[in-house]
Structures are given as structure tokens and as C-alpha cells.
């Protein structure tokens, strides 16, 4: 395993539901990321946190709300999602955000289906 | 425009055969290029990373090459195994003002048959 865990692994929700995705890293890293992976599309970076501070927000709709209470945990709160939000949501962590050889370690992802 | 294009989109080979996956990029300024392997239902795992000055990097049966002049990279898999069935993603990193951005390709889906 990569040292990054995500729960739940699968989630089905209606458009009016509120749910949260959880990510935890056991690597002592300072940076954490949320990505969206849709079929036949490149990974899309959603949010970047460095030492619990959000440093990047790539024009993500407000129905996605990230939270980073400490450097080991990252949440993605979901509300009033649309069917096109169905995708694999990947969490990743890395030592820092500004290192040249910055390897990102990915979790297994949460497969989200919005009905 | 910063882009990473991979080919082929998908590939089917027989176990034991070799194959080569391609990655062309138009990312500037270039920092490094990384190949990831993503098994079905899992997150990507790094295979190799190369900087501007490196032409080749190996990791077991995986060998990546980089031609920084033509902005092309390849990933060669030798003596393929069933466990090589996965998506292979090329990621190019660019640096601007001390920060790093990652440009992802759409991946090549490899299927190895017995």
C-alpha cells in the first residue's frame, strides 16, 4: 500500500444528499491533494493543501468543499452534486509542494456515483 | 498550450511480449517527467522519474526514455506479465516562480492476455 487511505471506496448518492470523502496519510507529508478522474480524461487537480493551508483551488464548483484539519487528514464535503460529478476521486500526498522531485503518493480513490 | 498526449489509447498484447508506450508533451518550462502505473480500482503508483539531463531510467522490466529535444518519452515493458495489465499515465511537471504544476496525460490502457 502507498500509505494513503481513502474512505469510503464506493459511494452512491442522490443530488440532494450531503456526504463527505475522507483521506488519511501515514507518511508524515506536508502537502495533500484532491483529484478528479473521469473516464478518458486526464486527472484534474481540484485542491492543494500545504501545512493545512489551501494553496490552490482550480475553479472547482462550490458544491465541493475541502477541509484539512491537520496535515494527516483531508476531507471533501459534497452537497447538491450533479450526475456529471460522478467520477473517481483521488487523494494524494507529498513531502512538500515545491520540491523538484516531488513524488505524489495516491490513495485508492473513492468511486462516486451521483443519481 | 501545456499538453501531454499519450499513444496508443489502448493496447492488447500476449503475455511474454514486449511493448512500448509513447508520450509527447508541449510543456514549458520543463522540470521532470514521470510515468505512473494505475491498476484498476487503485490510485497511480510512480514507476520512474526523469529530469532534463536523463535519457533513460529503468525500474525492473520497465524502462523509460526521454528525448528533451523532441519532447518525447517512451515506456518500454519487457517480457510482459498478466500483472502489467493497467493504465500507464505520463505526467510532466513544469515550474513557474518556484512552484510546480503537473500536466497529466490521459493514459494508455494495457491489457496482457495469457
Amino acid at each position: 500500500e502507498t500509505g494513503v487511505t481513502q474512505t469510503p471506496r464506493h459511494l452512491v448518492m442522490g443530488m440532494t444528499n450531503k456526504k463527505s470523502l475522507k483521506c488519511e496519510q501515514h507518511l508524515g507529508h506536508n502537502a495533500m491533494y484532491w483529484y478528479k478522474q473521469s473516464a478518458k480524461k486526464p486527472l484534474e487537480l481540484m485542491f492543494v493543501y500545504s501545512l493545512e493551508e489551501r494553496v490552490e483551488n482550480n475553479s472547482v464548483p462550490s458544491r465541493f468543499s475541502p477541509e484539512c484539519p491537520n496535515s494527516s487528514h483531508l476531507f471533501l464535503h459534497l452537497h447538491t452534486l450533479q450526475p456529471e460529478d460522478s467520477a473517481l476521486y483521488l487523494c494524494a500526498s507529498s513531502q512538500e509542494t515545491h520540491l523538484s522531485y516531488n513524488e505524489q503518493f495516491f490513495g485508492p480513490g473513492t468511486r462516486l456515483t451521483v443519481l | 498550450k501545456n499538453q501531454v498526449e499519450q499513444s496508443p489509447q489502448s493496447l492488447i498484447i500476449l503475455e511474454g511480449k514486449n511493448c512500448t508506450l509513447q508520450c509527447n508533451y508541449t510543456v514549458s518550462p520543463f522540470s521532470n517527467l514521470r510515468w505512473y502505473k494505475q491498476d484498476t480500482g487503485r490510485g497511480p503508483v510512480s514507476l520512474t522519474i526523469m529530469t532534463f539531463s536523463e535519457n533513460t531510467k529503468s525500474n525492473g522490466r520497465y524502462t523509460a526514455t526521454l528525448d528533451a529535444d523532441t519532447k518525447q518519452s517512451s515506456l518500454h515493458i519487457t517480457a510482459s506479465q498478466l500483472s502489467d495489465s493497467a493504465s500507464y499515465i505520463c505526467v510532466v511537471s513544469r515550474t513557474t516562480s518556484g512552484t510546480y504544476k503537473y500536466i497529466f496525460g490521459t493514459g494508455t490502457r494495457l491489457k496482457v492476455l495469457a
Side-chain angles (χ1 to χ4, degrees):
Chain A
E1 299 301 326
T2 61
V4 181
T5 59
Q6 289 186 245
T7 55
R9 294 294 307 276
H10 300 272
L11 178 62
V12 179
M13 58 187 289
M15 288 191 284
T16 58
N17 292 155
K18 289 185 179 181
K19 296 287 184 183
S20 295
L21 310 185
K22 179 183 176 182
C23 175
E24 184 174 0
Q25 58 98 356
H26 310 273
L27 302 168
H29 288 164
N30 292 323
M32 297 189 77
Y33 310 77
W34 277 118
Y35 285 92
K36 177 184 179 183
Q37 187 175 35
S38 304
K40 298 186 180 180
K41 285 187 176 182
L43 266 71
E44 301 172 47
L45 179 63
M46 300 175 72
F47 302 104
V48 181
Y49 276 84
S50 176
L51 294 171
E52 303 141 47
E53 179 183 342
R54 191 189 312 178
V55 297
E56 193 161 341
N57 177 347
N58 278 346
S59 303
V60 179
S62 59
R63 56 186 184 269
F64 295 91
S65 175
E67 179 190 1
C68 188
N70 54 63
S71 59
S72 298
H73 293 85
L74 185 64
F75 294 89
L76 188 62
H77 303 300
L78 317 171
H79 63 96
T80 59
L81 293 191
Q82 305 297 312
E84 59 264 28
D85 296 323
S86 298
L88 181 68
Y89 288 84
L90 291 165
C91 173
S93 73
S94 65
Q95 188 67 43
E96 305 285 352
T97 59
H98 56 271
L99 296 178
S100 176
Y101 264 61
N102 202 32
E103 179 174 354
Q104 295 181 326
F105 293 80
F106 287 84
T110 294
R111 173 67 62 186
L112 174 67
T113 302
V114 181
L115 301 177
Chain B
K1 187 178 180 183
N2 293 296
Q3 280 188 316
V4 174
E5 294 185 356
Q6 293 187 243
S7 61
Q9 270 193 354
S10 61
L11 182 62
I12 300 175
I13 62 173
L14 293 176
E15 188 178 16
K17 298 295 185 182
N18 303 335
C19 68
T20 300
L21 314 180
Q22 299 291 341
C23 173
N24 297 338
Y25 61 92
T26 56
V27 177
S28 180
F30 175 87
S31 177
N32 57 64
L33 184 147
R34 194 184 292 272
W35 282 93
Y36 281 93
K37 178 187 179 188
Q38 184 175 18
D39 292 312
T40 300
R42 301 249 179 169
V45 175
S46 179
L47 292 175
T48 64
I49 180 172
M50 289 179 292
T51 60
F52 186 88
S53 59
E54 294 174 299
N55 300 119
T56 184
K57 186 73 71 77
S58 291
N59 178 358
R61 295 179 296 102
Y62 301 101
T63 299
T65 64
L66 174 65
D67 185 332
D69 292 330
T70 61
K71 298 188 176 181
Q72 296 179 323
S73 175
S74 66
L75 181 68
H76 186 75
I77 304 175
T78 305
S80 61
Q81 299 176 358
L82 298 178
S83 59
D84 293 329
S85 295
S87 286
Y88 292 85
I89 302 172
C90 175
V91 185
V92 180
S93 172
R94 61 188 291 262
T95 175
T96 55
S97 303
T99 62
Y100 292 87
K101 303 286 185 182
Y102 304 97
I103 317 299
F104 288 80
T106 54
T108 292
R109 186 178 296 274
L110 174 66
K111 179 74 173 175
V112 180
L113 300 178

